[in-house]
Amino acid sequence: AQKITQTQPGMFVQEKEAVTLDCTYDTSDQSYGLFWYKQPSSGEMIFLIYQGSYDEQNATEGRYSLNFQKARKSANLVISASQLGDSAMYFCAMRSSGSEKLVFGKGTKLTVNP
Amino acid sequence: GAGVSQTPSNKVTEKGKYVELRCDPISGHTALYWYRQSLGQGPEFLIYFQGTGAADDSGLPNDRFFAVRPEGSVSTLKIQRTERGDSAVYLCASSGTGFTGELFFGEGSRLTVL
């Protein structure tokens, strides 16, 4: 069975600083994908970044980067130059190859302080 | 609009009543998903449609839950004999043929069973 663990219920960061949100996963599958979603107070889940298990390079999307350490089964999200609008819940998720089911963690609430 | 649309945004009902939640996916997206998000948790998979058929309904908690997508576009999640434990936000998502297969979510339908 797949499992996502996000150990930080809440994180605080000063505006313009970088922050790392932790995510570890458990799976016996060899091929899988890892995702990060942002959920602002409106409730809509917004896709941020994707990392395939066979990708050798860490994924980057603008201010978001994914620190993928396959041997440790971790997929931490790094947000650089935090902005007030980054305040939201952040969810890590995974999906095995051949499955359409996304498994989510419990999320981390990020608060960006001015 | 161009995004996933869900109605109603809020639904309050009494225990034992029947409820329908509607999802209108992004035009052209053949894959449609329903997730349920309880307070303080990440979304949990319910069902996945590819076109008109339910390709994976392994997440439906019991036979009180049913979903249809008769014309391969709009989907309806139906809950019979509602229980207080059904109270949650029901999220709908759709996906196209993007490389990562990321999901595009609606803002959800918040169901409260009194």
Side-chain angles (χ1 to χ4, degrees):
Chain A
Q2 299 171 334
K3 186 177 180 181
I4 296 284
T5 301
Q6 294 180 255
T7 57
Q8 307 154 314
M11 287 286 285
F12 293 87
V13 65
Q14 287 298 122
E15 196 178 5
K16 299 181 185 177
E17 293 186 351
V19 63
T20 298
L21 305 183
D22 294 341
C23 171
T24 58
Y25 60 93
D26 189 18
T27 182
S28 56
D29 296 322
Q30 296 301 310
S31 179
Y32 50 88
L34 295 156
F35 300 77
W36 277 93
Y37 281 84
K38 172 184 178 182
Q39 188 176 43
S41 55
S42 63
E44 182 180 355
M45 301 282 285
I46 301 168
F47 167 74
L48 296 178
I49 196 166
Y50 167 84
Q51 178 85 41
S53 58
Y54 290 115
D55 294 341
E56 295 184 353
Q57 302 260 12
N58 284 342
T60 60
E61 287 286 347
R63 295 187 297 110
Y64 304 109
S65 60
L66 200 152
N67 184 0
F68 180 46
Q69 298 188 46
K70 194 170 181 177
R72 294 186 178 184
K73 291 189 175 178
S74 75
N76 299 340
L77 177 70
V78 180
I79 305 175
S80 63
S82 297
Q83 301 172 355
L84 296 178
D86 294 335
S87 293
M89 287 293 295
Y90 288 80
F91 291 93
C92 180
M94 75 175 298
R95 183 181 65 208
S96 287
S97 179
S99 170
E100 291 293 329
K101 189 183 305 187
L102 266 182
V103 176
F104 287 86
K106 289 189 174 183
T108 296
K109 183 176 181 179
L110 176 66
T111 302
V112 180
N113 294 317
Chain B
V4 176
S5 176
Q6 291 189 246
T7 54
S9 54
N10 273 288
K11 176 71 177 178
V12 180
T13 191
E14 293 180 345
K15 180 174 179 289
K17 298 289 189 184
Y18 170 80
V19 166
E20 288 191 351
L21 306 175
R22 174 190 165 106
C23 173
D24 199 344
I26 292 172
S27 178
H29 279 188
T30 57
L32 184 144
Y33 309 76
W34 284 98
Y35 283 78
R36 178 167 71 173
Q37 187 174 20
S38 301
L39 195 63
Q41 303 294 319
E44 291 182 296
F45 171 82
L46 294 176
I47 188 169
Y48 153 64
F49 287 90
Q50 182 59 252
T52 59
D56 183 353
D57 64 358
S58 61
L60 294 178
N62 51 60
D63 61 5
R64 295 186 298 105
F65 287 75
F66 190 70
V68 295
R69 195 185 185 200
E71 297 179 358
S73 178
V74 171
S75 175
T76 305
L77 178 66
K78 308 181 180 195
I79 310 174
Q80 298 178 319
R81 304 183 305 280
T82 52
E83 299 177 357
R84 293 194 178 88
D86 298 336
S87 295
V89 176
Y90 290 82
L91 294 167
C92 178
S94 66
S95 71
T97 56
F99 168 68
T100 67
E102 75 266 24
L103 304 188
F104 297 85
F105 284 84
E107 293 188 351
S109 292
R110 181 177 296 279
L111 174 65
T112 303
V113 182
L114 301 177

